[in-house]
Amino acid sequence: PQALSTRNDIRDCSADPPYLPPTATNTTARLAVLRGIMRTHGVHAYIVPSTDAHMNEYISKRDARLGWLTGFTGSAGTAVVTQDKAALWTDSRYWTQAERQLDCNWELQKTTSIESIGMWILKAVPAEGNISLDPFLFSIDTWNSYSQALHGSGRTLLPLETNLVDQAWGDERPLPSSSEIYSLPAEFTGSSWQEKVAGIRQRMEQHVRRPTAVLLSGLEETAWLFNLRGDDIPYNPIFYSYTLLTNTTISLFVEESRLSAAARESLRSGCPGPLCVELQEYGQVSAHLRRYAQGNVTVWLGTEYTTYGLYSIIPQEKLLEENYSPVMMAKAVKNAHEQEMLRAAHVRDAVAVIQYLLWLEKTVPQGQVDEFSGAQHVDTLRWAQEHSRGPSFQSISASG
């Protein structure tokens, strides 16, 4: 048979035997293990998203559950597994990639709508069936959409705090990041974390509902509030954490051993007192929130970054919901010093880009540069600039 060009080298499940390109992942064993675990939990369909517990666009290898289960490595998608079927939903950017990476265990659904996923589940799962998901991987809106899609169908949407993919993945699942979480030098921030905390507490007092606490789930919120940075996720200077800030206490849920000595000292400098940061284990946030929500409290949160799992812990009447938390709103307004720093960063970046354009003018006519080596070279030039911590996304390089 005529050799297929790599561009068209996609699976053909109608052939006998089915044709799979070398880029496809064999998922038979993974699905068998997951289905066994689903049976143990009485689950008829299990929904696997591409997000993590903080609604990040970029995720760490440890959170790439969809990629591990399906072989599909695109940044957006949803999988549903039943005892005898498996399907992946993704958008048009990824259809060709999915046909190259999926094996014939998977149906590809060329849409991302939750209605479409709901319809598929209703056909695949008999009435009285349980449809399960990990509530800590779904936004409040997404959970509500699934709830609506299945409402009145006789099927139950069952949140399970144990993640079944993690159980199936077992020891092969990548370890959490162990890299250092460090303080951003004062020369970059324009205000200390103590000033930022005071500003947020002021907003709490001025709010008509007088919330007693602010819950932060977005990783950039905590990083901004405490002037801390990390590199848990490629291209993002953030680290896994949650924060619960009240009028008199500050709880930071983070892997304490990863904090640099300077960062720990900075956070503990106000102890004891209302500016003392109590460090708690990252995994303790649900238990802590459950205890806190028993009191006479009102918790202010931004729904864009809070998972349904955390949201559902707090009784409805004790919630103050807005799209974005007061920290996200404060962070969006840059002080004069931050503006100056942004401009300076752009100047340094412009120098790297001009060096790159000059290099291209010289090397392209010699026929020695392609998109890949070009992208590598611009990254090298950017890294050489002072204060560089790497690009904010992978260089997208094109020619012709």
Side-chain angles (χ1 to χ4, degrees), residues 184-190 337-338 340-341 386-387:
L184 199 63
E187 64 188 278
F188 295 111
T189 60
H337 186 71
E338 285 172 315
E340 196 185 312
M341 293 289 102
E386 195 183 4
H387 308 305

Side-chain angles (χ1 to χ4, degrees), residues 269-287:
S269 59
C271 298
L275 285 172
C276 171
V277 179
E278 293 164 29
L279 298 170
Q280 312 229 21
E281 281 301 305
Y282 171 75
Q284 288 301 305
V285 64
S286 299

Side-chain angles (χ1 to χ4, degrees), residues 123-165:
K123 278 192 199 133
V125 175
E128 313 295 303
N130 289 327
I131 291 99
S132 268
L133 46 74
D134 177 344
F136 291 95
L137 294 180
F138 288 83
S139 70
I140 300 158
D141 279 354
T142 307
W143 168 275
N144 289 337
S145 302
Y146 279 114
S147 189
Q148 221 171 335
L150 300 168
H151 181 72
S153 71
R155 293 155 187 84
T156 308
L157 190 59
L158 185 73
L160 273 186
E161 299 209 0
T162 318
N163 188 295
L164 305 190
V165 174

Side-chain angles (χ1 to χ4, degrees), residues 168-337:
W169 203 347
D171 294 344
E172 284 176 34
R173 187 178 174 213
L175 294 167
S177 174
S178 58
S179 61
E180 188 175 72
I181 298 166
Y182 56 94
S183 288
L184 199 63
E187 64 188 278
F188 295 111
T189 60
S191 48
S192 68
W193 70 259
Q194 290 90 342
E195 289 166 333
K196 291 178 178 180
V197 165
I200 301 303
R201 283 176 169 160
Q202 198 177 347
R203 288 183 180 222
M204 289 163 69
E205 276 167 36
Q206 289 164 350
H207 198 287
V208 60
R209 283 202 47 201
R210 303 297 287 270
T212 58
V214 172
L215 174 67
L216 305 179
S217 293
L219 299 186
E220 59 269 47
E221 299 177 293
T222 289
W224 177 86
L225 185 63
F226 296 112
N227 292 333
L228 295 175
R229 297 291 185 269
D231 58 2
D232 291 12
I233 296 176
Y235 308 110
N236 290 269
I238 49 185
F239 53 91
Y240 288 104
S241 56
Y242 294 96
T243 300
L244 189 70
L245 172 68
T246 76
N247 293 313
T248 53
T249 64
I250 310 167
S251 300
L252 170 57
F253 300 85
V254 68
E255 218 51 65
E256 186 180 344
S257 61
R258 295 180 50 205
L259 291 165
S260 71
R264 193 173 296 142
E265 202 175 312
S266 158
L267 297 171
R268 307 293 293 164
S269 59
C271 298
L275 285 172
C276 171
V277 179
E278 293 164 29
L279 298 170
Q280 312 229 21
E281 281 301 305
Y282 171 75
Q284 288 301 305
V285 64
S286 299
H288 185 93
L289 199 55
R290 208 166 263 122
R291 283 193 300 275
Y292 182 76
Q294 286 169 359
N296 181 19
V297 298
T298 303
V299 180
W300 192 359
L301 53 78
T303 53
E304 284 291 314
Y305 288 88
T306 309
T307 61
Y308 180 77
L310 278 185
Y311 171 83
S312 62
I313 289 172
I314 308 157
Q316 208 61 42
E317 68 279 5
K318 296 180 181 184
L319 269 170
L320 167 55
E321 296 172 49
E322 287 175 8
N323 285 352
Y324 297 101
S325 76
V327 169
M328 211 51 126
M329 301 307 278
K331 171 183 170 294
V333 181
K334 305 301 178 194
N335 63 39
H337 186 71

Side-chain angles (χ1 to χ4, degrees), residues 28-200:
T28 303
R30 295 169 190 189
L31 282 166
V33 174
L34 177 62
R35 284 171 171 146
I37 295 167
M38 285 165 59
R39 281 193 294 275
T40 310
H41 286 271
V43 169
H44 301 94
Y46 193 63
I47 308 173
V48 183
S50 54
T51 51
D52 66 7
H54 302 272
M55 303 292 106
N56 289 307
E57 181 185 2
Y58 288 76
I59 56 171
S60 70
K61 285 192 170 78
R62 181 174 172 79
D63 286 320
R65 298 173 178 91
L66 186 76
W68 175 80
L69 182 66
T70 64
F72 169 72
T73 58
S75 68
T78 304
V80 180
V81 177
T82 68
Q83 283 302 333
D84 57 354
K85 288 192 174 77
L88 172 79
W89 284 257
T90 190
D91 64 73
S92 56
R93 291 174 298 169
Y94 293 122
W95 293 344
T96 306
Q97 180 178 337
E99 294 286 14
R100 286 182 191 156
Q101 293 184 319
L102 297 175
D103 65 7
C104 292
N105 288 310
W106 293 90
E107 298 169 23
L108 176 60
Q109 304 285 336
K110 297 184 171 181
T111 164
T112 54
S113 82
I114 288 172
E115 293 74 33
S116 152
I117 301 174
M119 295 288 289
W120 188 92
I121 289 172
L122 292 176
K123 278 192 199 133
V125 175
E128 313 295 303
N130 289 327
I131 291 99
S132 268
L133 46 74
D134 177 344
F136 291 95
L137 294 180
F138 288 83
S139 70
I140 300 158
D141 279 354
T142 307
W143 168 275
N144 289 337
S145 302
Y146 279 114
S147 189
Q148 221 171 335
L150 300 168
H151 181 72
S153 71
R155 293 155 187 84
T156 308
L157 190 59
L158 185 73
L160 273 186
E161 299 209 0
T162 318
N163 188 295
L164 305 190
V165 174
D166 292 353
Q167 276 195 330
W169 203 347
D171 294 344
E172 284 176 34
R173 187 178 174 213
L175 294 167
S177 174
S178 58
S179 61
E180 188 175 72
I181 298 166
Y182 56 94
S183 288
L184 199 63
E187 64 188 278
F188 295 111
T189 60
S191 48
S192 68
W193 70 259
Q194 290 90 342
E195 289 166 333
K196 291 178 178 180
V197 165
I200 301 303

